[in-house]
Amino acid sequence: MDIIFEYDNVKSSTRLEELATEKLNKLGEKYEFIVRASIFFRTENSSSSETGKICGIRISVPGPQLFAQSNSESFESSLKKTLQELEHQLAKKKTKLKAHR
């Protein structure tokens, strides 16, 4: 699986990339039909200290792409929430793919 990282108003982070790659590789083992993942991290001015760090992931699979995004107090937390949402979407997608075989 190809993984592409994008940063918008954020300094690139090897630690974040390693964490995201590890988690996405686990998803790739569970859902073999994943082709590519694009991950973006960006900051947003927010009046709340609990938001402002945004993580979005777009996954290329057969059919329409899957996308999830979350906004939290840290990129790690946003990444975790985004991956949970994608896991849910991938489970649905796998069920639909099995039904069409």
Side-chain angles (χ1 to χ4, degrees):
M1 166 182 17
D2 294 328
I3 302 174
I4 300 165
F5 292 93
E6 299 174 33
Y7 296 91
D8 187 14
N9 294 327
V10 179
K11 188 175 179 180
S12 64
S13 167
T14 318
R15 187 179 57 80
L16 270 177
E17 288 183 15
E18 289 173 354
L19 179 63
T21 301
E22 176 188 336
K23 301 291 185 183
L24 283 169
N25 283 335
K26 285 183 183 178
L27 280 181
E29 290 172 9
K30 190 172 182 180
Y31 303 101
E32 306 85 29
F33 53 87
I34 297 174
V35 178
R36 177 180 40 245
S38 296
I39 305 172
F40 70 86
F41 296 101
R42 78 171 190 246
T43 57
E44 182 178 84
N45 291 335
S46 174
S47 58
S48 172
S49 62
E50 296 178 7
T51 60
K53 309 288 187 196
I54 300 170
C55 173
I57 302 175
R58 181 171 285 112
I59 293 186
S60 297
V61 295
Q65 290 184 342
L66 303 178
F67 178 75
Q69 175 177 302
S70 61
N71 188 350
S72 293
E73 70 279 353
S74 70
F75 287 119
E76 292 82 2
S77 179
S78 292
L79 177 64
K80 182 179 177 183
K81 289 178 184 178
T82 303
L83 287 167
Q84 287 172 347
E85 173 60 31
L86 282 173
E87 174 90 36
H88 179 71
Q89 291 179 33
L90 285 164
K92 280 184 166 180
K93 183 73 167 182
K94 187 174 185 175
T95 302
K96 287 181 182 178
L97 286 174
K98 282 185 179 180
H100 292 288
R101 287 186 184 191

